[in-house]
Amino acid sequence: MRSFDVPEPDYDRYTNRQLVAIPLVILALALLVVGANVFLIGAPAPLGIEFTGGTELTVDTADDANTVRNAFDTQPEDIQTVRSQSDRYIVTFGPEAGEGGMSLQEQANERLEPSSEGEDVVQGVSTLDATFAENTQQLALIGIVVAFLGMSVISFALFRVFVPSVAIVISAFSDIMIPLALMGLVGYELSLGTVAALLMLIGYSVDSDILLNNHVLRRGTGGDFNDDVYRAMRTGVTMTVTSMAAMATMAVAAFFFGIPLLMAIGTILFVGLAADLMNTYMLNVTLLRWYRFDGVNR
């Protein structure tokens, strides 16, 4: 089996400003996108039904998506075609839909043509109360904040030095913001599944950053800085690239089998891991190099 060779970068060719510029510019763009989404829709990315409440119908019909959209008294918020079954649609409504008249299920069964004779149009109904969804949204936000704060505390407890610990926190923050901005751009919804993916990215980020800091600050030879970084890269880059390949495979498989949530999770993790490579071996390395040669540690 052929091994994965990690090339040794020549950091001496670049100044600290050159190395830190790219990750900081990308982080700034991500924050701009996230901020615009918060201003326009009140959230960093579109919210899924778990966080807004509403009703989700799974329908099998011979009609097209436009006919499905016009079959209801209330306009659906979203209609997704199940890729593996071209006659199946997932129709999502807000929390107020279907009140005061025919139920959404009755409207679908009465106004849409079933894909197979003798079968019902509606194959599944999922309803979530708006109050419960709001509580779920708050718990998810608390979970992310607690995980991030816990990661920050652990980083400071491990190294007890300001600059290297802040480097871990900044890298982890960027690793979350970049895929969150992508979600807002491509329309991936914030749901329990995608929030779990963001939480996983905190763990991935801390793992690679602590590995790097540990090699440079604790296990370093005290000699060449680039050699210490390269030793960390041989393990860290191999782990991250392997995980990226697994996430890409999951996203592609979910795309062909028509599983939107798994495709979103795979894409978010792939982009977040790619951002982690950039932030760890450009942003974090730059801060460590400044700390070791030009900063408070000189």
Side-chain angles (χ1 to χ4, degrees):
M1 182 176 178
R2 186 176 181 182
S3 61
F4 179 76
D5 294 325
V6 177
E8 183 173 1
D10 184 7
Y11 284 108
D12 292 332
R13 292 178 55 191
Y14 308 99
T15 66
N16 288 339
R17 289 185 179 182
Q18 289 174 324
L19 283 174
V20 83
I22 295 176
L24 287 184
V25 167
I26 294 177
L27 174 59
L29 292 175
L31 290 174
L32 182 64
V33 172
V34 170
N37 282 329
V38 170
F39 177 77
L40 293 174
I41 64 177
L47 296 178
I49 191 173
E50 295 99 332
F51 295 153
T52 61
T55 301
E56 189 175 84
L57 298 182
T58 301
V59 300
D60 286 356
T61 176
D63 296 317
D64 59 21
N66 189 53
T67 303
V68 173
R69 183 178 297 277
N70 295 325
F72 299 94
D73 296 336
T74 303
Q75 188 81 351
E77 292 188 354
D78 184 47
I79 297 178
Q80 295 181 358
T81 303
V82 178
R83 186 170 297 275
S84 58
Q85 296 176 265
S86 59
D87 57 356
R88 173 164 290 189
Y89 300 89
I90 298 176
V91 190
T92 305
F93 298 87
E96 306 299 328
E99 295 184 356
M102 294 175 61
S103 69
L104 296 171
Q105 187 172 358
E106 291 173 336
Q107 294 174 41
N109 285 326
E110 182 176 308
R111 300 170 185 174
L112 294 173
E113 181 182 350
S115 57
S116 300
E117 189 175 349
E119 292 188 1
D120 290 335
V121 171
V122 178
Q123 299 296 311
V125 182
S126 176
T127 302
L128 194 65
D129 181 73
T131 303
F132 180 78
E134 184 177 354
N135 292 335
T136 304
Q137 181 183 153
Q138 293 174 354
L139 287 174
L141 178 61
I142 291 172
I144 291 178
V145 171
V146 169
F148 194 84
L149 290 177
M151 174 272 301
S152 303
V153 170
I154 290 174
S155 300
F156 279 91
L158 281 175
F159 297 102
R160 302 178 184 178
V161 182
F162 183 76
V163 173
S165 301
V166 166
I168 296 175
V169 174
I170 295 175
S171 295
F173 178 73
S174 182
D175 290 347
I176 296 174
M177 287 297 108
I178 292 173
L180 194 58
L182 173 74
M183 292 174 63
L185 289 174
V186 303
Y188 286 154
E189 294 180 342
L190 270 172
S191 64
L192 292 176
T194 53
V195 167
L198 294 175
L199 289 173
M200 289 176 65
L201 284 174
I202 295 177
Y204 277 118
S205 176
V206 171
D207 183 43
S208 59
D209 287 323
I210 288 181
L211 176 69
L212 172 65
N213 285 18
N214 192 51
H215 273 77
V216 172
L217 299 178
R218 291 184 174 179
R219 298 175 59 186
T221 61
D224 189 71
F225 175 81
N226 291 348
D227 289 342
D228 294 337
V229 171
Y230 180 62
R231 288 202 324 275
M233 289 183 66
R234 284 186 298 183
T235 302
V237 171
T238 301
M239 291 191 308
T240 303
V241 171
T242 302
S243 299
M244 288 175 64
M247 295 305 109
T249 301
M250 182 177 76
V252 171
F255 172 79
F256 284 108
F257 284 101
I259 311 175
L261 178 59
L262 285 182
M263 184 177 71
I265 291 174
T267 304
I268 290 167
L269 287 173
F270 179 86
V271 172
L273 289 169
D276 183 53
L277 280 178
M278 174 188 69
N279 289 317
T280 300
Y281 300 109
M282 293 183 70
L283 178 59
N284 199 350
V285 163
T286 300
L287 292 175
L288 286 176
R289 186 167 70 172
W290 175 84
Y291 168 77
R292 186 160 171 176
F293 297 110
D294 303 315
V296 295
N297 196 45
R298 59 184 176 179

